[in-house]
Amino acid sequence: MNWENNVRRVVPYTPGEQPKDSGISKLNTNENPYPPSPAVKSVLDSYDDAKMRLYPDTNSTVLVDALAKRYNVNPSQIFVGVGSDDVISMAFLTFFNSEKPVLFPDVTYSFYDVWADVYRIPYETKALDDNFRIRAEDYICENGGIIFPNPNAPTGVFESLDMIEEIIKANPDSVVIIDEAYIDFGGESCIPLVDKYENLLVVQTFSKSRSMAGMRIGFAVGNEKLIKYMNDVKFSINSYTMNPLSQICGAEAVNDEEYFRETTGRIIETREYTKKKLTELGFTYPDSMSNFIFASHNSVDAVVIFEELKKRKIFVRYWNKPRINNHLRITIGTREEMDKLITALEEIVKKG
Ligand code: PMP
């Protein structure tokens, strides 16, 4: 009875809560408060369900072509996957295959160390500075690969392309992955750098700026060789990952640039409004270029605020982890949701 000795044991990633109650404000998993492009709805309405008999296009051609056009690259430079979690996981498996440690920040997306563990990849974290900034010099050393989000999560801090280019240039022997899950809320994408650096892979998602977290669509843009290596690994595991509806709905969403600009613009506006209100209430936060704010109050503990908000059916994200256990990550919802949050916070911090 020793089969358990052979189990690949892992501590899984803990996703944010998905409460089922009605009437809650869900500001805890950085979802978009607006529906996807109306073009997505019309595709769904006219979809012929008889097509479900068939396996999907393994190359997701309609989606890859739409992305290639939108981002001005060749289709051979795009890899698509079932959410960017799937894309990043495939990238870890494909590129982080050395005895040297993979590097990422100490405060960052908490899935990176989970993938490293499940694939038995050695890693080392590099401390952000006191203002939650990445220090480029920390990444100029021997390593087996580099990954960080830009803007970083859960801080929302955006780093300049000059700084990122410095890291890519200094690491020609490693693949550098920039996770741009939140890039569409005011940051500048590294995608234009992929033709300059063959070791750069940029990952994005439809879950935030395109309001399609439930459809599970993510993609990577890079040099043709990188993408070929990723596809070789993917096709060695499961060729049919992305369902046909996600492929066509994803393409429709990419083609509706006007709606994309309008909704991301609205979120940016609401974020700037929320920043002002939070400052008035005694909160501080690193300046966010994402669809969330990472805030700490000058007198009331984050965990107290977290619990009090929950009682009022407002869910935000809290981590009891070193360096960030007095911060809350608050997703930007609609203006109405943020006003409700501000009213609740007023009550809580005045009482606290
Ligand atoms: N990267 C970062 C930094 C994230 O915060 C998230 C969302 N949890 C993801 C990747 C994954 O998002 P998805 O799989 O929905 O594309």
Side-chain angles (χ1 to χ4, degrees):
M1 294 290 268
N2 284 330
W3 61 267
E4 278 189 292
N5 291 343
N6 297 331
V7 168
R8 182 178 291 264
R9 289 175 195 244
V10 283
V11 180
Y13 171 73
T14 319
E17 275 179 271
Q18 295 290 353
K20 297 281 176 292
D21 296 15
S22 58
I24 65 151
S25 285
K26 201 172 169 306
L27 306 177
N28 67 336
T29 51
N30 298 341
E31 287 143 330
N32 194 310
Y34 303 111
S37 155
V40 170
K41 176 91 172 73
S42 53
V43 171
L44 288 173
D45 288 346
S46 61
Y47 189 71
D48 173 7
D49 57 4
K51 286 191 192 153
M52 291 201 185
R53 292 182 307 108
L54 305 172
Y55 282 108
D57 170 11
T58 53
N59 297 313
S60 303
T61 311
V62 54
L63 177 59
V64 166
D65 287 352
L67 285 166
K69 194 162 153 236
R70 165 67 171 76
Y71 292 99
N72 204 18
V73 295
N74 289 320
S76 57
Q77 293 181 274
I78 294 187
F79 175 93
V80 295
V82 184
S84 55
D85 282 341
D86 179 42
V87 176
I88 301 168
S89 149
M90 283 294 135
F92 267 61
L93 195 54
T94 310
F95 302 119
F96 295 166
N97 196 26
S98 131
E99 304 287 306
K100 294 178 201 156
V102 166
L103 310 179
F104 46 85
D106 62 339
V107 176
T108 196
Y109 185 32
S110 51
F111 221 140
Y112 298 155
D113 56 346
V114 176
W115 285 311
D117 283 337
V118 71
Y119 295 137
R120 309 291 187 251
I121 299 165
Y123 68 90
E124 206 177 292
T125 60
K126 298 287 182 184
L128 296 178
D129 75 11
D130 292 342
N131 297 315
F132 292 131
R133 304 301 301 251
I134 290 173
R135 288 182 289 222
E137 62 270 27
D138 288 345
Y139 296 83
I140 301 178
C141 59
E142 273 218 280
N143 65 73
I146 293 172
I147 181 164
F148 56 84
N150 195 38
N152 196 6
T155 63
V157 173
F158 173 76
E159 300 292 353
S160 75
L161 294 207
D162 286 349
M163 188 274 240
I164 292 178
E165 200 167 350
E166 190 187 333
I167 294 177
I168 301 165
K169 249 193 231 167
N171 287 284
D173 299 331
S174 307
V175 172
V176 178
I177 303 176
I178 306 299
D179 175 355
E180 293 190 336
Y182 302 102
I183 198 66
D184 295 324
F185 302 102
E188 187 186 358
S189 173
C190 285
I191 290 178
L193 295 180
V194 299
D195 287 330
K196 204 164 158 194
Y197 300 102
E198 67 169 37
N199 60 328
L200 168 64
L201 188 78
V202 184
V203 179
Q204 292 196 8
T205 178
F206 283 49
S207 299
K208 319 294 176 182
S209 55
R210 296 188 190 275
S211 308
M212 293 169 83
M215 280 296 216
R216 311 305 300 130
I217 307 172
F219 63 101
V221 185
N223 173 279
E224 193 172 320
K225 247 195 309 186
L226 288 182
I227 300 304
K228 162 86 170 61
Y229 280 125
M230 282 185 80
N231 274 318
D232 287 348
V233 170
K234 176 226 162 121
F235 288 125
S236 306
I237 296 174
N238 180 357
S239 334
Y240 299 114
T241 51
M242 189 177 287
N243 73 71
L245 275 172
S246 293
Q247 296 183 19
I248 50 176
C249 289
E252 288 299 321
V254 174
N255 293 335
D256 194 350
E257 187 67 21
E258 193 183 328
Y259 183 83
F260 168 78
R261 286 190 193 279
E262 186 199 315
T263 48
T264 50
R266 250 193 269 169
I267 290 170
I268 292 169
E269 209 179 290
T270 311
R271 176 188 70 210
E272 297 308 310
Y273 165 81
T274 309
K275 282 182 189 170
K276 279 201 210 103
K277 294 283 177 189
L278 288 175
T279 304
E280 284 166 22
L281 287 173
F283 285 91
T284 51
Y285 43 82
D287 195 24
S288 169
M289 289 281 253
S290 62
N291 68 336
F292 55 84
I293 300 173
F294 196 51
S296 178
H297 192 258
N298 60 18
S299 64
V300 187
D301 284 350
V303 68
V304 172
I305 301 175
F306 173 73
E307 294 298 343
E308 286 293 324
L309 285 174
K310 214 174 191 179
K311 284 185 202 157
R312 292 163 174 81
K313 291 194 167 190
I314 300 173
F315 286 71
V316 298
R317 193 91 194 257
Y318 171 75
W319 289 271
N320 188 9
K321 281 189 177 175
R323 294 193 77 189
I324 59 169
N325 60 6
N326 199 25
H327 280 77
L328 297 171
R329 191 196 65 189
I330 303 165
T331 302
I332 304 301
T334 58
R335 172 72 180 252
E336 294 69 35
E337 283 174 303
M338 301 326 277
D339 278 334
K340 192 175 145 202
L341 169 86
I342 298 296
T343 306
L345 287 174
E346 260 164 16
E347 254 176 57
I348 297 165
V349 302
K350 278 180 190 147
K351 212 170 63 182

